[in-house]
Amino acid sequence: MENKELIFDSNIDKLIESADLTREAPTEEPYRQYWFMKKARELTEEKSRELNRRLTFCVNTFGCQMNARDSEKLVGVLERIGYVEAPDENADFVIYNTCTVRENANLRVYGRLGYLHSLKKKNPHMMIGLCGCMMQEPQVVEKLKKSYSFVNLIFGTHNIYKFAELVVAALTNNRMVIDIWKDTDKIVEDLPSERKYPFKSGVNIMFGCNNFCSYCIVPYVRGRERSRNPKDIIREIEHLVADGVVEVMLLGQNVNSYGKNLEEPMTFAQLLQEIEKIEGLERIRFMTSHPKDLSDELIEVMKNSKKICRHLHLPLQSGSSEILKKMNRKYDKEQYLNLVERIRKAMPDISLTTDIIVGFPGETEEDFLETVDVVEKVRYDSAFTFIYSKRTGTPAAAMENQIPEDVVKDRFDRLLARVQEIGRSMSARYTGTVQEVLVEEQNSQDTHLMTGRLSNNLVVHFEGDTSLIGKLCQVRLDECRGFYYMGTKVG
Ligand code: 5AD
Ligand code: SF4
């Protein structure tokens, strides 16, 4: 398997076609899934003839970029087995790819399920599937079994690769099909996916997380850290580039610890250098970096790179060393500020963004002011601010001193105001400069305008036409309006 050639998408179609349904499904992956894709196609074609119309699907994604990438894989399978995309949830196969990082993400899913039930009463052929992080929580599955029996299929984060097989089980079964794995060390390559954008793509470089920050449920629902083989990553990107991709976003919960568990260990900085060599690839982004693992080697590689974007998302979580300790983040305020200083010294033009949690158990007003102090010292381009959410099973959920809601809300509002004020002035610092922009789409409100992204991730709108989509061009940034620019194409 080590030196196996990556099977490109067009070959996947041929391999699905050549699956032999007169025999039993093969045991080896990904061939087993190709067999089930063909089997599922037979079943959907039959249903389609019966209804005299094409069957439709809708995949609704909650949460992070990892989930967005997983959803592209679900779409890749659904399209290959004969479903066409519907504009909304009024479809024959609806899938919710769920998130559970904060409680309100869960509540939204339960809320939407009521609506799906009403749609299903009108369309009895409708299949409802739930997957993603929320399904890895046993109490969630219990609740679904008890009160949401109209759901057809439930699976988790570790076995998403066998989606085709699960679809066949759901289509041939009148009862709820449930398949959840506790953990896995398996990574299955060569499955189809359907990209949302033709010119940019997410690429998983690792799965899971070993950090166990005390508030976070991710290590419990995404399992232990596993890195993909560098050869598989490089080949996937080469294939994407051959297919028109110019920008990749390397995805992992903690990309800075990439490669530690490989047979031949390799650092993230080394992986980046290999990816940089891929001809035709113009931009490299990555997400997310844990400050404790961000090495000087990585800063050096970024500094010398022509392709790595001038943007770092560096979650702070809290500015108080005391709280950081309770969060099990393994850095303190001084170490974080020192890291930022080293990054800014190497790349003065870099844009820094962050995640901050307000109201962690035991957070005092002084702790909170330490967070504001870091925000003022670092001056982030933008920050995602979250109210602490108690996640059952995490160490923080059992901590004393949970903070009253009104106190947290007041701190949250104060932090947000400060973060936005600083973000606005930081974003404006490029006014008047000419920057390289990757054109992403036509502006939905004004079709004369195109929307693109700078290397530092800021958005710019400028006059142009759709032939520019997916191209890099030079744009002068005329005016900053809060968190985006209005510009003019030059050259
Ligand atoms: N409550 C609030 N925010 C959380 N995050 C992770 N877990 C929680 C929680 N229990 C935030 C962190 C992380 C981001 C993805 O979500 O800031 O970086
Ligand atoms: Fe959660 Fe911490 Fe892992 Fe990020 S690094 S996914 S916050 S446990």
Side-chain angles (χ1 to χ4, degrees), residues 64 99-103 213-218 253 288 313-318 327 329 354-358 360 384-391 394 396:
C64 67
C99 169
T100 188
V101 77
R102 283 169 293 276
E103 198 190 1
C213 300
S214 63
Y215 51 82
C216 186
I217 201 160
V218 169
Q253 302 297 346
T288 287
H313 185 69
L314 202 58
L316 168 69
Q317 312 302 3
S318 167
M327 285 180 161
R329 291 289 288 174
T354 200
D355 293 341
I356 300 170
I357 298 175
V358 178
F360 184 83
F384 295 100
T385 47
F386 304 109
I387 285 180
Y388 167 73
S389 170
K390 193 170 167 176
R391 307 312 290 128
T394 61

Side-chain angles (χ1 to χ4, degrees), residues 51-98:
L51 298 172
N52 201 19
R53 61 174 175 82
R54 297 288 301 268
L55 296 182
T56 57
F57 76 88
C58 171
V59 176
N60 199 344
T61 313
F62 297 78
C64 67
Q65 310 243 14
M66 283 278 198
N67 264 15
R69 180 68 184 141
D70 281 349
S71 288
E72 291 185 344
K73 295 174 185 168
L74 300 173
V75 171
V77 172
L78 286 167
E79 292 196 338
R80 273 173 174 85
I81 62 184
Y83 287 92
V84 290
E85 189 156 17
D88 53 38
E89 289 155 329
N90 201 347
D92 298 301
F93 208 133
V94 177
I95 298 195
Y96 281 178
N97 189 3
T98 63

Side-chain angles (χ1 to χ4, degrees), residues 358-397:
V358 178
F360 184 83
E363 184 190 71
T364 61
E365 176 66 15
E366 287 69 39
D367 291 320
F368 170 70
L369 292 175
E370 296 276 9
T371 300
V372 178
D373 185 45
V374 175
V375 164
E376 287 176 344
K377 288 200 165 101
V378 176
R379 299 187 62 78
Y380 298 102
D381 280 69
S382 67
F384 295 100
T385 47
F386 304 109
I387 285 180
Y388 167 73
S389 170
K390 193 170 167 176
R391 307 312 290 128
T392 311
T394 61

